């Protein structure tokens, strides 16, 4: 009986956490970039390294077959095709076309390929490094 | 820098095959030179210009690759190397590579013959890679990145046992700063990849100890995806790939205490078969290496039978300095 209660509590908390991370608030901005020359997981990591440094970038969807990355930004973030192309350039690739659109409806991010981007808040550089990589 | 101070383990030198090398003077030098006929100076060592070299490293990205390689050779040689490759993206076209290595090797041994062994750091390779040509398309990527740097003499080239140099195959360094130059070339598409590199390591003759000689290497590789055969429409699956690498090595003559060692040049061609599994943050691989051709001047040169290796690669994202807007 007690085990059942614990399992139920864990399930409720887990569901709340999942719901909290896979649903987006309205009002954000989405950038979709077609990539050139990214055919491997490591290539996508090159892009992620740069997105981690891009203010307001919250989520990224990695699609290997399409060689495409979709980035969702926090509401109020100014996003331009040039800033996304700069990310691709700094990752070592020739930039491809980028389209920008406003998010007007809640977004379901439970599909394969979505990754939460990390922007460590602490001032300690070692702590930031751990937060970024583990 | 070099020599016995570097964590040397001597298991025994009595009745060892090269015991006569302890004799000093001219005859000693001649015997040292003859002893070098039992060298396998670097051909068992992995190329520092791995195929990682041809692929982009993002600015601010740190890549660390751990390798474990065992080598079995005739007569009765066993080696274990633990090279670590560190790559850092300085700017989009320029990356810094550092290769650290430490190895254990043992030669000979039997019921009545103790083995000779050493365990020491090997020379450290430091080089920069600059992409001079890149053609990035939606369906393919092509790169030519020349590289240049040096091997720093962290290894031992004068490791001794009972006053005599141990054989060249048990030395772990060159004793000098060796300039290192070369180029890589790589092509990749979503289902197929090919890469090659050619490098030259110039080994000036060291005043003391064993100089293993300059070395030319050329490697070629093809790889293809085994699983999933068809990529899913969405997402980033882990990829299982198979790779075939051919490694050609040409070693110039060795020197002992500045004296040319006769019959010390050689050429080898080896074939690797590697299975790799890649995810967003790491890659693991396992493989084997077989010699296809081993041509040595000396009839008593060590001949590699088989190598097995395992590697694990992890990618780090370095935090940027806060409030540096230009850093993007």
């Amino acid at each position: 009986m007690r085990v059942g209660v614990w399992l139920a509590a864990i399930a409720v908390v887990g569901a709340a956490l999942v719901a909290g991370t896979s649903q987006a608030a309205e009002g954000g901005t989405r950038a979709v970039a077609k990539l050139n020359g990214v055919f491997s997981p490591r290539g996508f990591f090159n892009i992620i390294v740069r997105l981690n440094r891009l203010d307001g970038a919250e989520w990224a969807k990695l699609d290997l077959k399409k060689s495409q990355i979709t980035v969702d930004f926090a509401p109020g973030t100014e996003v331009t095709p040039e800033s996304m192309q700069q990310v691709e350039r700094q990752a070592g690739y020739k930039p491809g076309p980028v389209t920008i659109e406003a998010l007007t409806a809640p977004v379901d991010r439970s599909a394969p390929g979505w990754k939460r981007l990390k922007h460590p808040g602490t001032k300690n550089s070692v702590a930031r490094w751990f937060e970024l990589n583990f | 820098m070099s020599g016995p101070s570097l964590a040397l383990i001597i298991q025994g030198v009595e009745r060892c095959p090269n015991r006569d090398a302890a004799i000093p003077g001219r005859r000693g030098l001649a015997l040292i030179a003859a002893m070098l006929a039992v060298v396998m100076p670097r051909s068992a060592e992995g190329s520092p210009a791995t195929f990682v070299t041809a692929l982009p490293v993002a600015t601010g990205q740190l890549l660390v690759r751990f390798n474990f390689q065992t080598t079995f050779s005739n007569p009765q040689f066993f080696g274990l190397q633990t090279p670590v490759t560190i790559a850092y993206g300085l700017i989009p076209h320029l990356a810094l590579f550092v290769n650290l290595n430490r190895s254990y090797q043992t030669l000979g041994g039997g019921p009545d013959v103790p083995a000779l062994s050493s365990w020491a750091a090997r020379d450290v390779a430091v080089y920069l890679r600059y992409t001079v040509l890149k053609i990035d398309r939606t369906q393919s990527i092509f790169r030519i990145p020349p590289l240049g740097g040096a091997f720093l003499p962290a290894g031992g080239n004068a490791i001794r046992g009972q006053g005599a140099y141990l054989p060249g195959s048990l030395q772990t360094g060159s004793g000098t700063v060796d300039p290192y130059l070369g180029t890589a070339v790589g092509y990749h598409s979503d289902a197929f990849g090919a890469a090659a590199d050619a490098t030259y390591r110039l080994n000036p003759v060291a005043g003391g100890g064993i100089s293993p000689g300059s070395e030319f290497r050329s490697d070629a590789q093809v790889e293809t995806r085994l699983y999933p055969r068809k990529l899913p429409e969405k997402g980033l699956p882990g990829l299982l790939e198979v790779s075939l690498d051919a490694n050609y090595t040409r070693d110039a003559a060795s020197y002992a205490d500045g004296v040319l060692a006769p019959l010390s040049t050689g050429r080898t061609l080896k074939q690797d078969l590697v299975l790799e599994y890649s995810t967003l943050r790491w890659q693991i691989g396992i493989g084997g290496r077989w010699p296809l051709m081993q041509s040595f001047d000396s009839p008593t040169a060590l001949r590699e039978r088989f190598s097995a290796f395992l590697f694990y690669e992890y990618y780090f994202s370095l935090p940027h300095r806060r409030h540096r807007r230009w850093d993007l």
Side-chain angles (χ1 to χ4, degrees):
Chain A
M1 181 64 183
R2 185 181 280 180
V3 173
V5 171
W6 273 107
L7 287 175
I10 290 169
V12 168
V13 171
L17 286 174
V18 169
T21 56
S22 63
Q23 295 291 324
E26 296 177 30
T29 307
R30 170 168 290 180
V32 180
K34 295 293 282 184
L35 305 172
N36 284 313
V38 180
F39 303 113
S40 64
R42 201 189 118 201
F44 275 95
F45 188 78
N46 289 356
I47 306 280
I48 293 287
V49 166
R50 302 310 307 176
L51 285 174
N52 283 334
R53 300 184 178 204
L54 191 58
D55 287 341
E58 291 190 326
W59 289 86
K61 183 171 186 290
L62 319 175
D63 290 314
L64 182 61
K65 186 171 183 181
K66 296 177 188 168
S67 196
Q68 174 179 293
I69 192 161
T70 303
V71 183
D72 284 357
F73 291 83
T77 307
E78 185 186 345
V79 187
T80 63
E82 289 72 29
S83 63
M84 282 297 294
Q85 288 174 334
Q86 179 73 341
V87 163
E88 295 173 59
R89 211 172 279 119
Q90 293 283 352
Y93 298 96
K94 178 185 168 187
V98 177
T99 56
I100 309 282
E101 61 185 81
L103 292 173
T104 53
V107 180
D108 178 12
R109 298 198 180 93
S110 59
W114 280 106
K115 300 282 174 198
R116 176 125 212 179
L117 298 169
K118 295 179 178 177
H119 299 283
T122 175
K123 287 183 179 176
N124 184 301
S125 57
V126 176
R128 285 211 312 276
W129 185 82
F130 270 95
E131 200 177 327
L132 206 50
N133 291 289
F134 300 103
Chain B
M1 194 165 77
S2 62
S5 60
L6 286 166
L8 168 67
I9 299 169
I10 304 295
Q11 291 184 340
V13 291
E14 292 80 18
R15 301 179 63 183
C16 72
N18 305 305
R19 188 183 174 191
D20 286 345
I23 299 170
R26 280 276 174 202
R27 187 174 164 226
L29 284 178
L31 286 167
I32 289 169
M35 174 188 76
L36 285 168
V38 211
V39 298
M40 187 174 57
R42 286 197 299 257
S43 55
E45 198 171 327
S47 170
T50 62
F51 302 111
V52 166
T53 310
L55 297 173
V57 180
T59 308
Q61 180 183 353
L62 187 71
L63 178 156
V64 183
R65 183 173 180 138
F66 302 93
N67 300 268
F68 301 91
Q69 182 182 336
T70 59
T71 304
F72 301 89
S73 301
N74 287 329
Q76 290 181 305
F77 175 89
F78 170 75
L80 171 67
Q81 297 203 34
T82 57
V84 178
T85 302
I86 301 165
Y88 178 68
L90 296 166
I91 54 174
H93 287 73
L94 185 67
L96 172 69
F97 287 75
V98 178
N99 277 71
L100 308 170
N101 197 354
R102 194 169 182 86
S103 65
Y104 169 79
Q105 40 277 318
T106 181
L107 178 67
D112 300 319
V113 184
L116 291 170
S117 306
S118 62
W119 163 242
R122 301 188 79 88
D123 289 351
V124 173
V126 180
Y127 59 93
L128 288 166
R129 178 209 74 181
Y130 187 82
T131 304
V132 294
L133 176 66
K134 67 171 187 177
I135 303 173
D136 293 353
R137 298 201 169 114
T138 51
Q139 298 302 320
S140 66
I141 182 173
F142 179 76
R143 302 286 170 119
I144 298 182
L147 55 101
F151 278 82
L152 308 179
N157 77 319
I159 302 176
R160 293 167 178 266
Q162 280 202 345
Y165 292 132
L166 292 182
S169 54
L170 301 183
Q171 304 291 338
T172 59
S174 68
T176 56
V177 175
D178 296 355
Y180 180 62
L181 286 172
T183 190
V185 56
Y187 170 85
H188 279 264
S189 69
D190 63 342
F192 163 77
D197 67 62
T199 57
Y200 188 73
R201 174 180 175 174
L202 176 67
N203 176 223
V205 179
I210 294 174
S211 299
S214 300
E215 183 181 68
F216 170 77
R217 299 186 71 114
S218 183
D219 307 323
Q221 177 221 28
V222 290
E223 66 179 24
T224 188
R225 189 176 66 244
L226 289 179
Y227 183 83
R229 288 308 299 169
K230 282 190 72 174
L231 289 174
E233 289 299 322
K234 294 179 179 178
L236 180 67
L239 302 183
L240 180 66
E241 294 173 309
V242 62
S243 165
L244 275 174
D245 306 351
N247 309 279
Y248 174 78
T249 308
R250 186 183 186 101
D251 287 319
S254 306
Y255 290 78
D257 285 341
V259 178
L260 176 68
L263 302 177
S264 57
T265 63
R267 292 174 297 136
T268 61
L269 178 64
K270 294 169 188 170
Q271 183 67 54
D272 294 358
L273 176 65
V274 190
L275 271 179
E276 301 169 350
Y277 184 75
S278 310
T279 71
L280 181 66
R281 290 208 79 121
W282 54 264
Q283 184 184 55
I284 192 166
I286 188 168
R289 172 176 296 173
W290 296 266
L292 300 178
M293 181 270 289
Q294 298 185 88
S295 171
F296 300 108
D297 290 347
S298 167
T300 59
L302 284 178
R303 289 176 188 275
E304 188 174 326
R305 283 184 293 147
F306 174 68
S307 281
F309 51 87
L310 173 73
F311 68 82
Y312 178 75
E313 193 173 288
Y314 195 83
Y315 316 127
F316 295 97
S317 179
L318 292 192
H320 66 301
R321 292 175 194 167
R322 295 163 71 82
H323 310 301
R324 267 174 52 178
R325 304 288 299 180
W326 52 267
D327 189 45
L328 176 67

